[in-house]
Amino acid sequence: MKEFFGIGGYTREAEGFLSWQHLLFVTSLMAIMVTLAVLLGLRNTNKDQETKNKILIISAILIDAIEIFKIVMISIATGDPMRWKLELPLFLCSIQLIAIPLAAFSKGRLKGAALDFVFIFGLLGAVMGTYGAGNNYSVYPVLSIDNVASGITHSISGFASLYIAISGMISMKKKDMPITFAILSLFCIAAYAANVIIGYNYMFLMRGDGTPYDIFYNLVGGNQVLYPMIVVGLFLLYIAGFYGVYYLCAKRKIKNQ
């Protein structure tokens, strides 16, 4: 357990990004995530909204509890009580620490927009934060608190996204689109401010750090104006594209009925 929590530092070498250990571990998580989302989503498809929402409430509590536990244990292991500064929910994936509780506990248009946000980014975050997490798996052993807790929380994000879709909780109302854009924009502003103040790399707005964002970072030669603009632009473009594909599929479905 001392080695798992990295108390005193890990003595094991990291197996490496895209190693078979990395791929086996995250694929196992993805299989569990999809299976639970399909089973619970289909079971609750015809249930009332309150019943459907109970699964989101459980997801919200679990994702935040696991993340808090991880931060506490890493702070103890590193002996750094200020570690939380590097664990703020300001990555695209970790926004779900706030978005899923919003979707579970809020009401009205805010709930609808939060459901949309989780639906749109949850699965993307799950894949990027597991298969694409070169910043984690190239540094920490696969079976460590850093990667296990991160893998589970990212899987919960993906689960929530799939569950919302399968159970029929999707909102995707055009009038809620500005709120969805606003949620992301506010987080981007907060992430950039935090990066400048504490010198970190939330939302990968400063550099790619071994993730696919390195492609764009290298493309503009690390320009500190163009690079974050491209990253934010990609986020907003993804939202617009997701809405566009959703409405196109919905329109075709209605036409075929």
Side-chain angles (χ1 to χ4, degrees):
M1 298 308 294
K2 180 180 178 181
E3 180 65 19
F4 176 80
F5 289 111
I7 297 174
Y10 295 112
T11 60
R12 293 171 294 152
E13 290 186 11
E15 292 85 352
F17 177 53
L18 297 182
S19 64
W20 70 264
Q21 295 94 333
H22 167 208
L23 294 176
L24 176 62
F25 176 65
V26 299
T27 300
S28 300
L29 288 176
M30 293 297 100
I32 295 170
M33 175 192 84
V34 173
T35 300
L36 287 176
V38 171
L39 291 177
L40 293 173
L42 291 176
R43 188 192 72 177
N44 290 341
T45 299
N46 298 316
K47 300 290 181 63
D48 58 81
Q49 290 299 312
E50 184 177 353
T51 301
K52 294 178 181 180
N53 199 58
K54 288 178 181 178
I55 300 296
L56 279 186
I57 291 175
I58 294 172
S59 299
I61 293 171
L62 279 177
I63 194 172
D64 282 357
I66 293 171
E67 185 67 14
I68 291 171
F69 175 74
K70 183 190 81 171
I71 294 172
V72 170
M73 292 308 301
I74 291 177
S75 297
I76 293 172
T78 59
D80 181 8
M82 303 304 289
R83 173 74 188 204
W84 60 269
K85 288 184 178 181
L86 307 182
E87 303 291 343
L88 296 173
L90 293 175
F91 284 109
L92 181 61
C93 310
S94 54
I95 293 175
Q96 302 297 341
L97 295 166
I98 296 173
I100 294 177
L102 271 178
F105 295 105
S106 62
K107 297 182 182 298
R109 288 185 64 187
L110 180 58
K111 184 180 185 69
L115 284 168
D116 291 351
F117 192 91
V118 176
F119 174 51
I120 292 170
F121 282 106
L123 191 57
L124 176 67
V127 174
M128 293 291 290
T130 53
Y131 287 104
N135 56 313
N136 272 3
Y137 288 94
S138 61
V139 178
Y140 308 119
V142 171
L143 296 181
S144 64
I145 183 65
D146 292 88
N147 284 328
V148 171
S150 177
I152 293 174
T153 53
H154 282 87
S155 297
I156 292 175
S157 297
F159 163 82
S161 176
L162 289 173
Y163 174 79
I164 288 170
I166 296 170
S167 66
M169 295 187 74
I170 296 175
S171 172
M172 297 298 279
K173 295 178 180 177
K174 291 182 180 179
K175 67 177 182 180
D176 293 336
M177 285 178 64
I179 302 177
T180 305
F181 279 102
I183 290 173
L184 180 64
S185 298
L186 289 173
F187 273 105
C188 286
I189 293 170
Y192 192 82
N195 290 338
V196 172
I197 294 171
I198 66 178
Y200 202 48
N201 189 29
Y202 286 117
M203 297 283 276
F204 299 104
L205 291 175
M206 312 307 284
R207 56 192 178 277
D209 276 355
T211 67
Y213 295 117
D214 271 332
I215 297 172
F216 303 101
Y217 184 82
N218 295 330
L219 188 65
V220 297
N223 187 290
Q224 290 300 295
V225 175
L226 290 177
Y227 171 69
M229 288 177 64
I230 289 174
V231 173
V232 174
L234 286 171
F235 294 155
L236 298 177
L237 185 63
Y238 175 76
I239 293 178
F242 198 102
Y243 269 103
V245 172
Y246 177 83
Y247 288 131
L248 181 62
C249 293
K251 186 176 180 180
R252 287 186 177 180
K253 184 178 179 180
I254 293 174
K255 182 184 286 187
N256 293 330
Q257 286 179 346

